[in-house]
Amino acid sequence: MKITDRFSLPYPDDDDFGNGALDLQYFAESVETQLVALQTGLQSSLYTQGFITQSTADVTGIASGGEQTPFGRSSGNFWNGGTPTAVWNTTGAGTTLTINETGSYIFGAYVNLIAAGTVNVNTLRLLTLGASVPAGAQFTNQKQYLYRETTLEPNAAGNGVFMCVQGMFDYQMINSSKPGADINNGYWLGIAHGNTSSTLTLKAGARFWSIKVADIVS
Amino acid sequence: MSGSTPILGLRYPTIGDTIDAASFANLAADIDAQMSVIDGLRLLNTQRARVYSQCFNQAVVFNTSTNLLYTQNNWVLPASFHNTSVNPDQFVAPVNGLYLAMCFVSGAGLPTTATQSFAGITVNAAQVQSVSRDKQGGITWFRDMEPKGLLRLNAGDVVRCFVNWQGTGVATFSSSMYILQLAYL
């Protein structure tokens, strides 16, 4: 029995006794192995894994002044997509997002912030989206990827403000360990505002998403 | 023809069967069918669905969320994704999957009586996200808006982009530029 050079498909050699049925069975089985491998590889690259989480309840009491982090950071809610806190629903194209694999990711967030009480017109609303990748064997210092959007509250018809920010970050696995849940390691949202007369409410329907778009080859 | 492979069902003769032209024809046909499946996946990979459309100078009534009508396709694949003349507000997802949506809505030139603007994305008429801008401390200048995000769509889901100009004293405002891009990832 001989085999082809690239995909090892078998065929009878010159001194083959000519068991045609068995030869064809070997051939069919070998072809199947290669076809399944090709299909699996194509499907893997086609069905990109990602996740979208959406809040299902208001988050109240966001005070003015310094940056507040109602989600992420210390809680690590956003890692691994499948286990966000109770107020987040997760949907995705894959069954489980493995965010802790090396790659380039697009990530983003959308929020609607409404003052719980008095609106201080034309005061600042600031949304920061961050990804922190810890220092480790592959780089010396912690990497911070920050994207930020600012706007002002016009007090128009009680709409509050709608904010949307999106960016990219690269993540390199550190000694095959899963990212932890701390300020230096994970996604996070930061909200700051100057509405001193009342707290803000982050309305239900806020969204956060992430998707791997490329491998990193070192 | 009494045998077949366990996963794809490629047919082959077993010992005792007569091996004839049909034996090879059946196996070849089965392989051909599976290669067609692979070729379909290859096309989906290399020719991923995407659309890049624009609309210009659409009059939008104040204080009313209005779907934008995209009357020019700079790029569309497949053609069913967006029609510039029939329901030009609708972008119909051609396949299940995750899509990156990016909109651009120009607010330049809004009248001084405007107080706020916001633009957003809907899926099957349900708002999923939006972006707002205001008068920037009373200065009559509006920044442009870029609602964007990752959407989980099923084939046939309809994506739209809307704009809402808030204010008084005027009836409508026409922006010079609206763009929507959707790309299957």
Side-chain angles (χ1 to χ4, degrees), chain A:
Chain A
M1 186 69 71
K2 291 183 176 179
I3 57 173
T4 58
D5 293 335
R6 184 171 180 188
F7 291 108
S8 300
L9 302 179
Y11 60 92
D13 57 23
D14 294 338
D15 56 357
D16 189 277
F17 290 106
N19 188 337
L22 204 54
D23 287 343
L24 279 173
Q25 179 178 348
Y26 288 154
F27 174 73
E29 290 170 348
S30 297
V31 168
E32 179 181 73
T33 299
Q34 298 302 329
L35 289 176
V36 169
L38 285 171
Q39 287 187 19
T40 302
L42 281 168
Q43 285 172 337
S44 175
S45 62
L46 184 63
Y47 302 136
T48 311
Q49 286 199 328
F51 73 84
I52 303 166
T53 62
Q54 181 163 316
S55 70
T56 55
D58 292 351
V59 176
T60 60
I62 301 173
S64 63
E67 186 176 66
Q68 310 291 308
T69 54
F71 303 113
R73 264 198 168 169
S74 61
S75 64
N77 291 337
F78 296 136
W79 287 112
N80 270 338
T83 54
T85 55
V87 295
W88 295 92
N89 286 331
T90 301
T91 59
T95 53
T96 301
L97 177 72
T98 306
I99 198 70
N100 57 327
E101 64 181 38
T102 301
S104 291
Y105 292 81
I106 290 176
F107 70 141
Y110 153 73
V111 298
N112 178 207
L113 297 169
I114 297 180
T118 301
V119 175
N120 300 122
V121 178
N122 289 325
T123 52
L124 176 71
R125 302 291 184 269
L126 184 150
L127 174 67
T128 300
L129 174 66
S132 302
V133 181
Q138 292 171 321
F139 34 79
T140 303
N141 300 314
Q142 178 198 34
K143 284 186 176 180
Q144 283 271 14
Y145 296 85
L146 294 177
Y147 299 90
R148 181 166 285 169
E149 181 178 359
T150 59
T151 190
L152 301 177
E153 163 64 87
N155 194 23
N159 293 322
V161 299
F162 304 94
M163 305 178 78
C164 184
V165 61
Q166 183 169 269
M168 287 188 72
F169 73 98
D170 295 333
Y171 179 71
Q172 293 181 319
M173 197 181 305
I174 309 301
N175 298 326
S176 299
S177 63
K178 179 180 170 181
D182 61 65
I183 189 170
N184 295 319
N185 195 350
Y187 300 129
W188 50 274
L189 286 180
I191 294 171
H193 67 92
N195 205 88
T196 55
S197 296
S198 91
T199 60
L200 296 190
T201 298
L202 193 161
K203 300 298 290 182
R207 290 161 62 87
F208 179 86
W209 57 89
S210 181
I211 186 169
K212 182 180 176 181
V213 292
D215 290 325
I216 296 176
V217 179
S218 56

Side-chain angles (χ1 to χ4, degrees), chain A residues 32 122 149-150 160 162 207, chain B residues 5 8 129 132-134 143:
Chain A
E32 179 181 73
N122 289 325
E149 181 178 359
T150 59
F162 304 94
R207 290 161 62 87
Chain B
T5 58
L8 302 179
Q129 57 204 55
S132 66
R133 294 287 181 262
D134 90 325
R143 287 189 300 182

Side-chain angles (χ1 to χ4, degrees), chain B:
Chain B
M1 186 65 70
S2 56
S4 63
T5 58
I7 301 173
L8 302 179
L10 307 180
R11 290 167 292 173
Y12 54 79
T14 54
I15 295 174
D17 289 339
T18 299
I19 301 174
D20 53 14
S23 305
F24 289 90
N26 288 333
L27 180 55
D30 291 346
I31 293 173
D32 188 277
Q34 293 301 322
M35 291 178 69
S36 295
V37 172
I38 290 174
D39 195 47
L41 290 170
R42 179 190 64 80
L43 286 173
L44 280 175
N45 259 303
T46 57
Q47 301 178 19
R48 295 184 180 229
R50 59 178 55 240
V51 61
Y52 167 31
S53 301
Q54 288 180 252
C55 80
F56 305 90
N57 299 317
Q58 178 180 337
V60 173
V61 177
F62 260 67
N63 304 313
T64 303
S65 291
T66 302
N67 292 323
L68 297 173
L69 307 175
Y70 291 87
T71 55
Q72 175 178 307
N73 281 339
N74 295 324
W75 179 261
V76 61
L77 181 75
S80 61
F81 210 149
H82 182 247
N83 190 313
T84 57
S85 56
V86 179
N87 298 321
D89 59 322
Q90 299 184 10
F91 294 80
V92 183
V95 293
N96 297 350
L98 291 167
Y99 291 73
L100 191 64
M102 303 186 71
C103 304
F104 170 70
V105 174
S106 175
L110 274 165
T112 57
T113 52
T115 55
Q116 185 187 39
S117 58
F118 56 95
I121 299 167
T122 65
V123 175
N124 298 332
Q127 181 177 334
V128 292
Q129 57 204 55
S130 54
V131 167
S132 66
R133 294 287 181 262
D134 90 325
K135 295 179 67 175
Q136 304 296 315
I139 302 170
T140 55
W141 173 76
F142 285 74
R143 287 189 300 182
D144 301 325
M145 297 174 288
E146 295 178 348
K148 50 191 172 289
L150 191 64
L151 305 177
R152 170 74 167 95
L153 302 177
N154 292 317
D157 281 351
V158 176
V159 177
R160 296 178 176 88
C161 181
F162 71 89
V163 65
N164 189 315
W165 310 123
Q166 295 276 307
T168 58
V170 290
T172 62
F173 172 71
S174 297
S175 170
S176 60
M177 181 69 75
Y178 308 96
I179 294 172
L180 188 145
Q181 295 188 67
L182 272 171
Y184 176 84
L185 294 179

